[in-house]
Amino acid sequence: MHSTILPTDERFVQRKVGLVTRAQRRLARFFRYQRSNAVLARLLLAVCAMATIYRVFFFSVSPINIDIDGTGSFEFYDYSKQQSSGAGASAREERILLCTPLRNAEDVIDLMFDHLQNLTYPHHLIDLAFLVSDSDDKTEELLEKRAKLAFKLPQEERFGSVDIFKRSSFGATVGQGFDDRHGVAVQGVRRKLMGRARNWLLSAALKPHHSWVYWRDADIETSPKTILEDLMAHDRDVIVPNVWRPLPKWLGGQQPYDLNSWMESEAALELAKTLDEDEVIVEGYAEYPTWRPHLAYFRREDGMGNINDIVDLDGIGGVSILAKAKVFRAGINFPGFAFENHAETEGFGKMARKQGFSVAGLPQYTIWHKYEPSVDDIREMKERERQGLPID
Ligand SMILES: Nc1nc2c(ncn2[C@@H]2O[C@H](COP(=O)(O)OP(=O)(O)OP(=O)(O)O)[C@@H](O)[C@H]2O)c(=O)[nH]1
Ligand SMILES: [Mg+2]
């Protein structure tokens, strides 16, 4: 069911057919006048059917609105009634677009879908949108399987809709292994590519009835099932939780993970003045001494902090972002180029702030990114095994 954004005049409600084109309607009319020529009519019918099949399988991305009566296409959306309003959003039927970009993510598809299935926000108000890019594993196949299964669940567990988009060639030249992704040299390129991928997904999936957009990476190990309501309750334009990762005991048990959520510093502003305008500052690397306060380090390690603590941020990470849809409608996006020496989600945070939106983070409210051992960790584990030391 749509929320407050609805076509206002039933007279103009369009039939979603997807298969009928103006040319096909003309052909149908033609048949009526050519009944006597049965062979020609059958031939044309066959051509018409083949064209339709070709279009469905090779071109059709989604159903399209067709005006059957020739009265013209008209839909009216009244945004004065739309809300993204913090607590009580589900009672007001506020609808969320949940976006997840995916690349070579076969190992986490089931984990990701289980988490989504556990969300407590009413599922019929959540529309899922996935973008699969540049994958040479079973990401697409497994995703489609889980999406189809999701529609066989009891009505109250079904999502409003599930859209899977496949589009490669964002020019990904960076590998998706843990060490490939984390070298400083690839960060700027990778972040710009991811920015373009996120913008593409958003522009394909955002509909007039969405009040909120929730960005969620696939590789999350644990996350509260009430996360949507919890983030909404703070009523900020853009908000992120803290992101840590679990570690094996011999590596310390846990670690701050996402360093992309931060507050701006004088040192970083001075550093930016010395950089080429296309260069992207990346946090957590000695090459970029920004001295910025990171959301990740505000967390109490014993997990006993107040989960409602909130701080203003400038840059944000992309693992889990809740934003009011109006932020995107105002033209804020994930820069696929350097914006003030930042790209993707950090550029998004900076841009949103610049346009007067509130951007915040929750230092004590934590979700856990999946632990993937680096090449060094694997080497160390082998050495520990050789010495008979525990590796968990
Ligand atoms: N569509 C698309 N998705 C991608 C691409 N690269 C990564 N992803 C997905 O985007 C999300 C975030 O990517 P990650 O590689 O985990 O990046 P991250 O969590 O920000 O950073 P690290 O985990 O620290 O590398 C995951 O769901 C990935 O599967 C890409 O080129 N295209
Ligand atoms: Mg990740």
Side-chain angles (χ1 to χ4, degrees):
M1 205 181 107
H2 289 200
S3 55
T4 48
I5 300 298
L6 288 170
T8 52
D9 192 334
E10 283 302 313
R11 282 176 305 150
F12 294 107
V13 169
Q14 304 291 306
R15 273 175 60 188
K16 279 197 172 182
V17 289
L19 303 181
V20 182
T21 65
R22 189 171 296 162
Q24 285 164 338
R25 286 201 306 276
R26 281 195 190 130
L27 274 173
R29 220 174 297 137
F30 178 72
F31 290 145
R32 283 199 288 279
Y33 296 110
Q34 295 291 326
R35 277 187 209 287
S36 54
N37 194 339
V39 177
L40 180 64
R42 280 201 193 109
L43 191 68
L44 282 170
L45 190 62
V47 170
C48 187
M50 278 166 68
T52 299
I53 289 166
Y54 185 73
R55 179 164 163 204
V56 170
F57 286 102
F58 296 97
F59 284 110
S60 129
V61 177
S62 62
I64 51 171
N65 281 337
I66 296 289
D67 165 32
I68 299 290
D69 305 327
T71 50
S73 176
F74 179 86
E75 287 177 6
F76 185 93
Y77 298 99
D78 183 358
Y79 276 84
S80 62
K81 294 191 190 121
Q82 193 187 44
Q83 290 186 48
S84 324
S85 49
S90 63
R92 284 185 297 277
E93 302 254 302
E94 291 176 14
R95 199 149 162 169
I96 304 175
L97 172 65
L98 192 155
C99 293
T100 299
L102 294 158
R103 180 179 173 212
N104 283 349
E106 63 180 9
D107 292 346
V108 290
I109 295 290
D110 278 329
L111 176 69
M112 172 194 78
F113 236 102
D114 290 346
H115 281 316
L116 298 183
Q117 215 63 69
N118 282 337
L119 290 170
T120 50
Y121 196 80
H123 287 190
H124 72 283
L125 298 175
I126 303 176
D127 295 310
L128 305 182
F130 302 96
L131 171 63
V132 182
S133 312
D134 302 289
S135 295
D136 50 18
D137 68 356
K138 291 193 178 142
T139 300
E140 190 186 330
E141 193 182 319
L142 296 177
L143 182 64
E144 204 177 319
K145 194 168 141 209
R146 283 299 303 252
K148 283 181 180 158
L149 279 177
F151 279 103
K152 294 193 176 135
L153 293 168
Q155 192 70 44
E156 67 280 6
E157 290 177 40
R158 286 188 211 159
F159 293 105
S161 65
V162 183
D163 285 332
I164 300 174
F165 301 95
K166 183 180 172 185
R167 191 205 187 261
S168 292
S169 326
F170 283 102
T173 47
V174 182
Q176 185 63 2
F178 185 84
D179 289 84
D180 296 326
R181 285 169 11 221
H182 290 98
V184 68
V186 301
Q187 289 305 311
V189 183
R190 182 167 169 259
R191 302 300 302 278
K192 289 173 186 173
L193 291 175
M194 275 306 295
R196 289 171 206 174
R198 287 186 194 276
N199 290 337
W200 194 94
L201 176 56
L202 184 85
S203 65
L206 185 68
K207 301 286 185 312
H209 51 255
H210 291 128
S211 296
W212 301 85
V213 182
Y214 180 52
W215 289 89
R216 170 88 168 209
D217 281 359
D219 46 359
I220 292 175
E221 184 75 51
T222 356
S223 164
K225 52 190 181 184
T226 52
I227 189 161
L228 290 170
E229 296 91 326
D230 297 343
L231 294 179
M232 279 173 181
H234 292 276
D235 202 19
R236 299 298 172 105
D237 297 322
V238 180
I239 189 164
V240 294
N242 204 337
V243 184
W244 278 45
R245 69 169 174 169
L247 290 177
K249 281 198 205 80
W250 62 274
L251 276 172
Q254 59 175 354
Q255 185 185 43
Y257 187 71
D258 188 348
L259 301 185
N260 296 336
S261 296
W262 38 258
M263 296 166 173
E264 191 51 284
S265 70
E266 277 308 316
L269 292 174
E270 287 305 313
L271 173 69
K273 287 182 194 160
T274 68
L275 303 177
D276 187 85
E277 73 171 312
D278 289 332
E279 190 164 348
V280 172
I281 296 176
V282 276
E283 284 300 319
Y285 292 83
E287 288 83 344
Y288 297 100
T290 61
W291 301 103
R292 285 167 171 154
H294 295 114
L295 179 70
Y297 290 104
F298 290 0
R299 176 175 179 265
R300 272 180 58 159
E301 287 209 15
D302 62 5
M304 299 303 283
N306 179 350
I307 56 162
N308 289 318
D309 284 354
I310 187 161
V311 294
D312 288 332
L313 295 175
D314 294 285
I316 55 162
V319 182
S320 166
I321 306 172
L322 181 74
K324 295 186 177 179
K326 69 175 181 182
V327 176
F328 296 102
R329 293 196 176 103
I332 310 301
N333 65 12
F334 300 98
F337 51 88
F339 170 79
E340 295 188 351
N341 296 100
H342 286 287
E344 205 211 353
T345 57
E346 287 160 290
F348 169 76
K350 281 216 131 192
M351 215 189 274
R353 282 294 292 264
K354 201 154 191 168
Q355 199 153 313
F357 291 110
S358 55
V359 178
L362 305 176
Q364 314 298 338
Y365 189 101
T366 310
I367 68 171
W368 297 82
H369 191 280
K370 200 167 175 283
Y371 166 65
E372 291 167 86
S374 66
V375 171
D376 282 348
D377 291 355
I378 293 169
R379 198 180 306 122
E380 186 76 23
M381 270 186 228
K382 284 192 181 138
E383 182 56 26
R384 289 179 68 86
E385 258 178 334
R386 208 179 55 76
Q387 294 177 18
L389 296 168
I391 54 159
D392 57 350

